[in-house]
Amino acid sequence: MKYNFLRTIKEQLKKINEAKYKKVYFLYIINIIASVGIPLLNMFLMRIVIERLNTNDFYELLIIILGFGISLILISFISFFCQNLMQVMFFKLRIVEFKKMGYICKNMDYELVEDSKFQTKMSAAYEALDSDRSGFEGFYFNLFSLSGYIASFIVYAIILAIFSPWIMLVCLLSYIIVYLTNNYIIKFMGKVKKQRQEAYKQTDYFFKTCFDFNYGKDIRIYDMAPLIKEKYDKGIISYIGVLKQIANKRFLLGLIELLFLLLQDGVAYFLVIYAYFKKGISVGEVTFYLNLVVALSQAFRSFTDEMISTTNNLKLSSEYFTFLSESNFYTKGGNLDALPKTETLEIEFKNVSFKYPNTDKYVIKNLNFKINKGEKLAIVGENGAGKSTIIKLITGLFKPTSGQILINGIDILEFNSVEYRKMFGVVFQEVNVYSGSIIENVCGTDKSIENINRAKECLKGVGLDKKIETLPNKYNTELSKLFHDDGIELSGGEQQKLAIARALYLDANMVILDEPTSALDALAEANIYEQFQSLVNNKTAIYISHRLSSTKFCDHIALFSKDGLLEYGNHNELMAKGGRYFEMFTLQGKYYDGGDENV
């Protein structure tokens, strides 16, 4: 659903009503009164002071100044209070929208992470929530300011038109020119919107990379800083280039605006001074009307600037609401809940093919194989054969482009996607350790005594308990120095053990290990697998590993190549076959037993 400006405005106003912030409209009225009243009181005060200077009544003049001064202070204080109150409400509205984006990020189809078109849309949507003065929240401030400028313009225009219609006509002509030039700028900004968004996305990526500690070691060891800087400079130059185009347009059209505003001021000054000599208006009135012309021009210029800002913010909000309205970036699947934890799983691929969004190359083509209940399957093969893709298909992170994946005879698309993921405890190649305690990294926030004890058993099962017991805070040790000075950094192998413990703690129907021990030595890996067998019990399990020694304890081995499933059987069967598995196993064995003289 495409959101035009009118629909976007309605949607943003609806957010105020949904949050029950109807008092915002009262605060807007207070702002209108202050926006009109404060400048007008100042102009009347100046007029009265000038006219009363000839009376020589100092005390009367002092009382008048004090009266106006107290009124101005009171109105200014009320206005300032209202602005701060609204700022808090607007911020809360934006936080609600951030939560919606968080929900989308959590539940969207995982393959969209690698879809550049989707990422561009999402980047544009996030830009609407990126600041308190732009996009979604910025529109509310625009509306706040615009209401004051419009009210001021109307009141000043009426007073000035009563005094001299000619001044008002010249002002209107000037304002029409200003409006047309600004409208041209707005349209031009629309033309370069996609170019600006793409440049912003690239710049934002490299900016965040520079501040991401996860890249710290690689940047230093491989001296990647010059490359990142070069890419960032290229992105920022592209981004600045777009802004420069806009600025150049504004400069040229600004000169036209200036000429007409100077003409307007010249005519206004002439007519006011003419009225002083011919109609006998007072010096105070001359000052009042000249200030009124200036105030009217200022109100209109502020209004046009605010309109440009409003248009830009509405465009960002429009992108955001359009993004929210799309239904093709995440699917809830069917209505089935997860199977009971006591029920182990059978997985069957039926003519399954998969390709990434916006690509024509199939990663997997017409794949057929079956994993029986309680079976331990090792998936091996060369890089790029689609091993990790198969795991992502099984766990529902990817949806098949064609074909079916059955869980205990049920098409996985019939399960609710959130419920479906509960059936899998997975250790991926990329291990993520979160800034929290060791125990929190396993059991999360549900830290009941029972859950903590179970988490400790899982950590013991993977051999991390001895390390933990040596730490001052033991299981409450923080796994980051980012927020805690006494935090620690686990080694790569220890992180993998922690991830395995996390998968065991989940106690899911099926356990999947995708290269879970790549950072461990061969003996540590063998120890993990030996213990893991007893911890997994009768659950169906899948192991992906480049070390073929870890496949011997599995019931079956599936060897994949870029052409699909190449060999299938148990270790002895594949060794007897003398095919690709035999070659790979024999080659790896030489590196462990010293059989290769060149090693």
Side-chain angles (χ1 to χ4, degrees), residues 131-403:
S131 170
D132 60 346
R133 293 290 175 171
S134 67
F136 177 84
E137 189 175 348
F139 169 77
Y140 294 118
F141 286 105
N142 290 143
L143 204 61
F144 179 77
S145 300
L146 283 172
S147 60
Y149 295 143
I150 292 171
S152 298
F153 183 82
I154 293 172
V155 172
Y156 301 160
I158 290 173
I159 296 173
L160 202 57
I162 292 172
F163 169 71
S164 174
W166 288 108
I167 293 179
M168 198 60 244
L169 285 173
V170 172
C171 288
L172 285 174
L173 176 63
S174 174
Y175 300 152
I176 290 172
I177 299 299
V178 171
Y179 170 78
L180 291 174
T181 55
N182 279 285
N183 190 54
Y184 178 82
I185 291 292
I186 292 171
K187 289 182 178 179
F188 179 76
M189 291 175 70
K191 290 180 181 179
V192 297
K193 181 183 69 174
K194 287 186 178 180
Q195 186 181 349
R196 181 178 61 84
Q197 286 177 349
E198 188 63 30
Y200 175 83
K201 184 179 72 172
Q202 293 177 13
T203 304
D204 186 56
Y205 167 78
F206 289 108
F207 178 80
K208 289 178 179 176
T209 299
C210 291
F211 287 88
D212 191 336
F213 293 140
N214 292 323
Y215 292 95
K217 294 189 289 291
D218 286 341
I219 290 174
R220 287 165 175 77
I221 296 297
Y222 297 106
D223 194 23
M224 298 295 287
L227 176 62
I228 294 174
K229 183 179 181 300
E230 179 186 337
K231 296 285 188 180
Y232 178 77
D233 288 345
K234 185 179 179 181
I236 202 68
I237 288 170
S238 176
Y239 188 62
I240 290 174
V242 179
L243 298 181
K244 188 177 179 181
Q245 291 180 54
I246 297 170
N248 288 337
K249 294 287 184 183
R250 280 182 171 171
F251 176 76
L252 293 173
L253 295 172
L255 291 176
I256 298 173
E257 289 182 20
L258 181 61
L259 289 174
F260 276 90
L261 289 173
L262 288 173
L263 176 63
Q264 164 205 297
D265 290 345
V267 172
Y269 273 69
F270 171 79
L271 292 174
V272 171
I273 294 170
Y274 179 82
Y276 171 75
F277 285 105
K278 296 296 183 180
K279 297 182 180 180
I281 65 173
S282 66
V283 176
E285 288 176 304
V286 169
T287 305
F288 175 78
Y289 288 120
L290 289 178
N291 283 333
L292 197 63
V293 171
V294 174
L296 184 67
S297 296
Q298 184 60 46
F300 185 80
R301 274 184 287 227
S302 298
F303 168 78
T304 52
D305 288 342
E306 200 69 30
M307 278 301 298
I308 292 176
S309 175
T310 304
T311 303
N312 292 334
N313 290 335
L314 281 173
K315 284 180 180 178
L316 292 174
S317 288
S318 173
E319 298 275 359
Y320 170 68
F321 288 122
T322 300
F323 179 80
L324 286 186
S325 70
E326 293 181 353
S327 58
N328 60 339
F329 51 75
Y330 73 92
T331 54
K332 292 183 179 179
N335 298 316
L336 293 182
D337 292 335
L339 297 175
K341 287 183 179 290
T342 54
E343 186 174 347
T344 191
L345 304 184
E346 174 190 87
I347 312 291
E348 184 175 5
F349 277 58
K350 287 189 172 183
N351 294 317
V352 173
S353 298
F354 175 79
K355 62 180 180 179
Y356 288 100
N358 304 314
T359 63
D360 296 323
K361 183 180 179 181
Y362 281 91
V363 181
I364 294 171
K365 187 74 172 177
N366 298 327
L367 177 62
N368 291 277
F369 79 102
K370 187 176 182 180
I371 308 171
N372 297 313
K373 286 186 176 183
E375 186 176 35
K376 309 297 184 289
L377 175 71
I379 297 179
V380 299
E382 58 191 58
N383 290 330
K387 301 187 297 296
S388 293
T389 301
I390 290 172
I391 298 306
K392 290 172 183 175
L393 284 166
I394 290 175
T395 55
L397 294 176
F398 288 168
K399 300 291 189 300
T401 305
S402 62

